Amino acid sequence: MTALDLSSPVAVVGTGTMGQGIAQVALVAGHPVRLYDAVDGRAREAADAIGARLDRLVEKDRLTGAERDAARARLTSAGSLDALAGCALVVEAVVERLDVKQELFRALEDVVGDDCLLATNTSSLSVTAVGGALRVPGRFVGLHFFNPAPLLPLVEVVSGFATDPASATRAYETARAWGKTPVTCADTPGFVVNRVARPFYAEALAVHELRAADPATIDAVLRESGGFRMGAFELTDLIGQDVNESVTHSVWQAFFQDVRFTPSLAQRRLVESGRLGRKSGQGWYDYRDGAERPGPHTAPPAEAPAYVVVEGELGPAAELIGLIREAGVEVRPEDGYGAGRIVLPDGGTLCLTDGGLPGSEDLVHFDLALDYRAATRIALSASAGVRPGLLSGATGLFQALGKEVSVVGDVPGMIVARTVARIIDLAFDAVARGVATPEDVDTAMRLGVNYPLGPFEWNRRLGDAWARDLLSHIHEWEPSGRCAPSLALHRHAAAADAREGTPS
C-alpha cells in the first residue's frame, strides 16, 4: 500500500490553527486541498491565511514564486460537505468533542466514496470511539499532527480497534510523502507522546507541591542538568495550563483513574484562578509588561576541597571523576562495594540519588545529569540535620567543576532522576502493551516533545536496572503506587540481572 497520489484531493474539515497547518502541509506536498468549516466564511478566511503564509515561505526562499502560485491554485474553500465528494482523504480538526466528531464522520460517509480514507487529528479522544459509528470503520485512522503542523515533523498514525492495516499503512506512507516522520501506535489514551510525557510535568509538580523547590529552580535543573529544552513550568505556561491539565485529566480518566497519571491539585488551582500561562499574562510566571522573571535558587560561592576519595563505581556519574581531576582537585580512588560514592576530607559523603532520602547527617545526594561535562547546573539535596560544613563542601566541589549549584529539599529521587526514571517506566509499559515499538517511542519523544534522548536511549545509557531500582526506592518512601515500577520494567531489569548474575 503506497501513499496517496499527488493528484488525489485532500480535504480538511475545521479551519483553526491546526486545520490550517495540516492543509498547508498537504498543499505544499502537491495535493489539491479543499477546506471546509461549519461556520460560514471561515474556510475562505483560512484559505487567505494559508496564502499569506505561502507568501512568507517565498520571502524566506523556502518556496519559489511559481510553486506558491501553483499551490494557491490547488487550494479551494468548500461551502458545504457535499463539495468534498471525490476526495481521497479527509482529515478532521474540529472541536475535541466525541459527539461532534462522530456526527461529522457519519455525514461524511454519505458524501465520500467507500475508498476515501477518513482521519481524525484528535489528541485526547479514542480513535476507536470516534470511528465506532461508521458504516465502513476499517478506513478510519488517527493522524495526530503536532502544533505547528508545518514545522513539527512528528505524526502519530493511530490504529483504532477496527482500523484496517492497509488504511494505517496508507496513512503512514502519505504522512511520510508529505515530509513528516510518522510513527505507528495503537489506540491508547494519550497515544505515545501524551502518554509517555506525563511524568515530565507530574514530577516537577510533585517536587513543587512537596515544597522541595520553586518552579524557577525546578525548570533550571531540568534544562541545565537534565538537558531538556524547556522546564516543565515554563513549558506548561507556553502550552496553556488549561490545555495541559485537560490532557492530563483526560489520560487519567481514560486509564480509569490510574494513580500513575493523577493530575496535580496545584495546577488545578492555577487554572481555577485564571492564570493560564502566556496567553492570559500569568501562569507559573508573570508575563505582564514590566514583570521580572524569578531566577533559580543558586548557592553562594563555597570553597572546594583539596582532595576527594572515590569509593567504588559511580555508574551514570562516572564522568565526574575526570572533571574533578581537571578542576585540580586530587582524586584518591579506593575499592568499594555497592553504589559508588565521593568522600570529602571531613568524612562527608556525596552520592548520586538512588531514590531514597539522604537521611544521614554525613550524606548529600546529587541529581542525575544528561551529560555531567555539559551540564551547567547541579542539584544537591541533604536532610535537615546535615552536618554543618558538609553541604558547603559539596557545593564547593561542584562549583570547582564550573557548575551552578541549586540546593533543593530532600525529596526522593530529586528532580531529573525521578523524572527520567518515570518516563523510562511508562515507555516500557507502553511497549509491553503493544502501543508502539521502542524505536517509534524514542522517535516520538525526541521529535514530539524535543527530549534530548528517547526513553530507551536513556535506559541504555543509564543501565537496565537503574530506573527499576530508583523507582523502587521512591516507592518505599512514597507508597501511593504512583512511582512503583511497572511489571514490564521489572521484567526487563530482572532479565538484565540474570544475564549479569545479579540477584534481583
Side-chain angles (χ1 to χ4, degrees):
M1 184 65 66
T2 58
L4 295 176
D5 188 271
L6 290 181
S7 63
S8 303
V10 172
V12 177
V13 179
T15 57
T17 301
M18 184 58 77
Q20 290 183 33
I22 296 170
Q24 181 179 327
V25 170
L27 189 65
V28 171
H31 288 273
V33 174
R34 303 173 192 175
L35 292 172
Y36 174 74
D37 197 291
V39 178
D40 187 45
R42 283 194 180 169
R44 291 189 298 273
E45 293 172 1
D48 291 340
I50 293 171
R53 284 198 288 273
L54 295 177
D55 288 339
R56 289 195 290 274
L57 291 177
V58 172
E59 293 169 3
K60 296 177 181 179
D61 293 326
R62 295 178 184 173
L63 280 182
T64 66
E67 289 170 334
R68 173 200 57 198
D69 294 342
R72 278 182 166 169
R74 294 193 302 270
L75 180 62
T76 59
S77 57
S80 68
L81 280 181
D82 290 341
L84 307 186
C87 286
L89 167 64
V90 180
V91 184
E92 162 273 316
V94 302
V95 64
E96 288 285 86
R97 278 182 47 188
L98 180 60
D99 58 336
V100 173
K101 292 179 187 291
Q102 287 178 328
E103 182 179 353
L104 168 64
F105 282 110
R106 280 194 293 263
L108 280 169
E109 277 201 310
D110 293 334
V111 172
V112 300
D114 286 355
D115 59 345
C116 175
L117 192 63
L118 298 179
T120 175
N121 184 58
T122 186
S123 61
S124 61
L125 299 176
S126 162
V127 170
T128 300
V130 175
L134 294 182
R135 176 172 47 82
V136 187
R139 42 88 170 265
F140 188 76
V141 67
L143 272 180
H144 181 215
F145 289 77
F146 288 75
N147 193 30
L151 297 180
L152 294 186
L154 184 69
V155 176
E156 291 176 318
V157 180
V158 187
S159 291
F161 186 79
T163 302
D164 287 337
S167 298
T169 300
R170 172 152 284 189
Y172 179 96
E173 294 298 338
T174 297
R176 189 163 66 171
W178 290 358
K180 297 301 181 182
T181 302
V183 296
T184 59
C185 62
D187 183 22
T188 185
F191 309 142
V192 175
V193 171
N194 279 329
R195 174 180 179 148
V196 178
R198 293 349 289 165
F200 180 70
Y201 314 109
E203 297 315 308
L205 287 161
V207 171
H208 171 62
E209 289 177 328
L210 290 168
R211 295 294 183 262
D214 60 276
T217 299
I218 295 169
D219 279 353
V221 172
L222 286 169
R223 287 193 315 270
E224 299 172 37
S225 184
F228 292 94
R229 186 168 296 185
M230 297 181 73
F233 294 96
E234 57 191 343
L235 180 55
T236 53
D237 268 357
L238 178 64
I239 294 168
Q241 296 300 331
D242 53 338
V243 174
N244 182 260
E245 195 220 18
S246 176
V247 172
T248 298
H249 197 272
S250 174
V251 172
W252 176 61
Q253 290 284 22
F255 276 114
F256 307 104
Q257 301 185 359
D258 187 327
V259 68
R260 295 176 301 167
F261 301 98
T262 302
S264 161
L265 182 59
Q267 188 176 41
R268 176 91 290 264
R269 293 291 178 257
L270 201 69
V271 172
E272 289 174 340
S273 72
R275 297 188 176 192
L276 307 181
R278 289 181 179 271
K279 63 185 177 183
S280 69
Q282 286 181 284
W284 293 111
Y285 301 105
D286 193 337
Y287 301 94
R288 295 172 296 182
D289 291 342
E292 186 175 343
R293 175 79 172 259
H297 168 77
T298 301
E303 185 176 351
Y307 70 90
V308 297
V309 176
V310 176
E311 297 181 357
E313 301 293 330
L314 296 184
E319 191 174 22
L320 286 175
I321 299 173
L323 296 178
I324 293 170
R325 287 195 175 106
E326 291 171 20
V329 177
E330 181 187 355
V331 175
R332 302 176 182 176
E334 289 188 3
D335 293 334
Y337 298 97
R341 61 182 189 160
I342 300 170
V343 183
L344 300 182
D346 66 357
T349 300
L350 305 182
C351 291
L352 174 63
T353 178
D354 63 355
L357 293 178
S360 167
E361 65 175 12
D362 294 321
L363 177 63
V364 172
H365 279 167
F366 59 89
D367 206 352
L368 179 70
L370 171 71
D371 180 338
Y372 282 99
R373 181 174 293 277
T376 57
R377 182 175 300 271
I378 295 294
L380 301 180
S381 175
S383 69
V386 66
R387 177 160 47 81
L390 175 53
L391 198 53
S392 176
T395 298
L397 175 63
F398 280 100
Q399 288 174 340
L401 308 186
K403 317 300 183 187
E404 300 278 10
V405 174
S406 291
V407 178
V408 303
D410 55 345
V411 60
M414 300 187 69
I415 298 171
V416 178
R418 68 187 286 149
T419 299
V420 170
R422 286 213 61 219
I423 289 170
I424 290 171
D425 182 56
L426 288 192
F428 270 94
D429 183 61
V431 169
R433 296 176 185 276
V435 175
T437 65
E439 295 75 19
D440 276 357
V441 170
D442 278 354
T443 297
M445 302 315 292
R446 283 188 286 100
L447 299 184
V449 278
N450 289 311
Y451 284 1
L453 294 174
F456 292 94
E457 293 173 311
W458 248 315
N459 183 72
R460 288 191 292 273
R461 176 181 289 198
L462 295 169
D464 288 316
W466 178 85
R468 188 262 324 259
D469 293 346
L470 187 123
L471 291 175
S472 295
H473 288 148
I474 293 176
H475 180 60
E476 291 175 8
W477 291 95
E478 301 178 25
S480 67
R482 195 173 66 84
C483 291
S486 66
L487 177 60
L489 189 62
H490 271 299
R491 284 172 171 165
H492 176 80
D497 290 341
R499 288 194 301 271
E500 296 172 6
T502 305
S504 295

